[in-house]
Amino acid sequence: MLWIKCCVVLLVFTYASHADPVCSVPDSGKASVTALVLNMAKSVGPCVTPNPSVLLALNLVDKTFDPATADLLVKQLKEDAVTKVSENLPFSSGKVALYALALRSSCCDITNIPYSKGNLNLVSLLENKTKEEIKSIEKEKKKPLTTFYQVALDVLALCVVNSHVAFQAGTTLANAVPSNPTSPDFSVDTAAVAVMGFTCVLGMDAAPTKTISSVKNALSVLINLMLNNQMSDGIIGNIYSTGLAAQALTAAQSYYTTTSWNCPLTIQKVLQEIPLGTFSLPIAAAQVLPFLQGMSYVNVKDKQCTVDNSPRITVEYTIVNNLVEENFKYTIQVEVLEGSTLLQVMQKAAQINPKEFSFSTTDSEWGVFVSSINNLAGNNNQRTYWQFFNETTPLQLGVSSYKPTNKEHILAIFSKF
Ligand SMILES: *[C@@H]1O[C@H](CO)[C@@H](O)[C@H](O)[C@H]1NC(C)=O
Ligand SMILES: *[C@@H]1O[C@H](CO)[C@@H](O)[C@H](O)[C@H]1NC(C)=O
């Protein structure tokens, strides 16, 4: 499918600012957190329904994990969103919001996801769905089409993608928050997501005064709701609402006296629950992990994504050994930036398929010398070495100097000298 390739446009990202966590995981708890990340990442697979919260968590976690996992999730989420839209399947506003947040956390261009029938603009879809929610709350029945939880996700995602509809949605949601919320409409989970959405909106440029005052008001009501739901063991609400609530209290720390939340106790309780398997469901791990890293969903907004439009080339790379047992021949297509060296092509191949394309090098006066590929090393006594060709012509330059051109076919052939 062609449209999948769109996200292959490499996007470079960095965090513009770092969260200043209210508290952090002590060294003794770090192994548990790593185990939780790995366990959650294991839930991702080719035949598993993709979970946007897992991608969000992976992208917020300050660790280098297997990038193939995130790539697979991005591909699956895009395919899933496109299927839902093109086949008119249910896709509620909150779900669109989560997909938008997750794909944005991977620096995808969510305004332009190409597919067979055109382009899917997930931001426009989210704006439209949110406007329907707003209409339902304001005009019809004082209730959203879905739930306030989903509307809170809408506000958060609209803000993260910098849509001005976030102001309208934020105001409507804020006005719907009762001064003393007790109803199931505003549980700790809903309050947590709304607090993240409101905190994000207050950080947007040019927020209308009306929005600011309504949102600040509702923000303080919902922060109090969460603080009042702190248990003596550090849980906020129940163990499963604790992750979102703690993310929210981390994000909104400039809007309350931080001493009114016993953050270290919450961390301690969560760490105790990890080995008990409490967060073994991917969604449970995904909600608690950003908090354990001192992050919240609001931090997705700080992630600076710059589109790298540098031209790319495709190089075909083949490794052949017909000289010694066991013979082998493998071919791979590699996409690299134009101007990359053959060494960079080989590194990319090894990254995509380490089993067959791993190699080792030694440095010599002549540049980098390839000593082995696919665990087969040249041997001076047997007068064997790895020789490089473009098609049939031996390369005159070393791998660290030679720059293949687009569609060039490079062969590494195990040879005798
Ligand atoms: C959102 O609504 C506008 C106006 O009705 C429409 O033109 C646009 O196609 C809609 N966007 C999506 C993604 O459905
Ligand atoms: C192989 O290299 C030669 C010499 O550098 C060049 O003229 C030729 O175009 C290359 N072949 C391919 C298929 O790129």
Side-chain angles (χ1 to χ4, degrees), residues 390-391 393 395 402 405 407-409:
N390 81 355
E391 301 288 358
T393 320
L395 299 188
Y402 187 77
T405 52
K407 307 259 162 67
E408 190 166 330
H409 185 190

Side-chain angles (χ1 to χ4, degrees), residues 120-122 124-125 128:
L120 171 59
N121 183 338
L122 218 46
S124 164
L125 183 65
N128 290 1

